[in-house]
Amino acid sequence: MSAFRQRAAQLARQSRPQRAVRSTRSYGSSHGHDHHHEHTVEEKLGPAFYVTVGTIAASYFVYSISRTGKNGEESSLHKYFKKLADYKDEWETRNHLVTAAMEQAAHDKHLLYNAPRSRTIELKYPEVFQHGSPFNVPAGHYVNMDKVIAHYHQKHLKEEERKASKLAAASQQ
């Protein structure tokens, strides 16, 4: 039944006279418009005006600083350019110093990288080899440390002897 209703509604729409989709607007209303007076439009100054005024001011400023001073002294603009030209010598000196420092740093780095290194590590105490748990160690697994202990004992004696001789020499003076 709904199909019949839909078809009937469609036929009814088609049989009606077509209205214009857009209604035309009428601008003929006189709400608040007075036809006897002209409409005033405030025109703004465009960017060309400001560019022109700025150019004139900048030209006058550059002209005034480029003129020589009283008693024949140099102009401000000439002094400024001369100051900028002096930076060339200053930067040349700085660059020379920086280059010398970089070369010295490279030389020192080369020395440090190619210096012979000791292949041994001095130990603080000989028992460092025996670190580990003392429990559940099978027999014969600890290394004989007698030679290492003797070496460090001799080293300690030499160091103490050196310190004693140094103190004796200092006390005699």
Side-chain angles (χ1 to χ4, degrees):
M1 178 109 174
S2 79
F4 288 118
R5 274 193 217 154
Q6 287 177 355
R7 182 72 180 146
Q10 183 181 7
L11 288 174
R13 279 194 301 269
Q14 287 177 355
S15 66
R16 283 190 223 149
Q18 295 286 328
R19 285 195 285 167
V21 176
R22 287 180 145 181
S23 61
T24 58
R25 290 185 176 180
S26 172
Y27 293 103
S29 69
S30 62
H31 296 111
H33 298 289
D34 192 5
H35 297 291
H36 299 293
H37 297 290
E38 293 182 11
H39 184 66
T40 59
V41 176
E42 295 181 16
E43 295 183 10
K44 298 178 181 178
L45 298 175
F49 172 76
Y50 295 109
V51 169
T52 304
V53 170
T55 304
I56 291 171
S59 300
Y60 178 74
F61 176 72
V62 170
Y63 175 77
S64 65
I65 64 172
S66 67
R67 298 287 81 195
T68 56
K70 295 176 182 174
N71 301 327
E73 59 190 32
E74 294 177 338
S75 67
S76 303
L77 197 61
H78 185 72
K79 288 178 189 175
Y80 178 73
F81 286 138
K82 194 174 186 181
K83 182 179 169 186
L84 287 179
D86 290 342
Y87 280 136
K88 179 183 175 188
D89 299 332
E90 186 176 331
W91 278 100
E92 185 177 338
T93 305
R94 285 183 189 173
N95 289 341
H96 178 70
L97 291 173
V98 167
T99 303
M102 295 285 283
E103 287 174 355
Q104 184 64 41
H107 179 70
D108 294 347
K109 184 177 180 181
H110 180 69
L111 284 178
L112 289 174
Y113 280 162
N114 295 323
R117 292 184 177 91
S118 175
R119 301 243 182 238
T120 61
I121 299 172
E122 291 298 322
L123 305 176
K124 292 185 179 180
Y125 53 97
E127 291 81 15
V128 75
F129 287 114
Q130 302 292 341
H131 275 180
S133 175
F135 306 109
N136 296 330
V137 178
H141 275 238
Y142 280 127
V143 179
N144 187 1
M145 301 293 290
D146 293 338
K147 290 182 181 178
V148 175
I149 291 170
H151 169 72
Y152 280 100
H153 186 66
Q154 287 292 83
K155 188 174 179 181
H156 174 70
L157 291 176
K158 286 181 185 175
E159 184 69 22
E160 290 297 321
E161 185 180 327
R162 186 187 64 81
K163 287 179 185 177
S165 64
K166 189 175 180 182
L167 284 173
S171 64
Q172 287 178 359
Q173 289 179 354

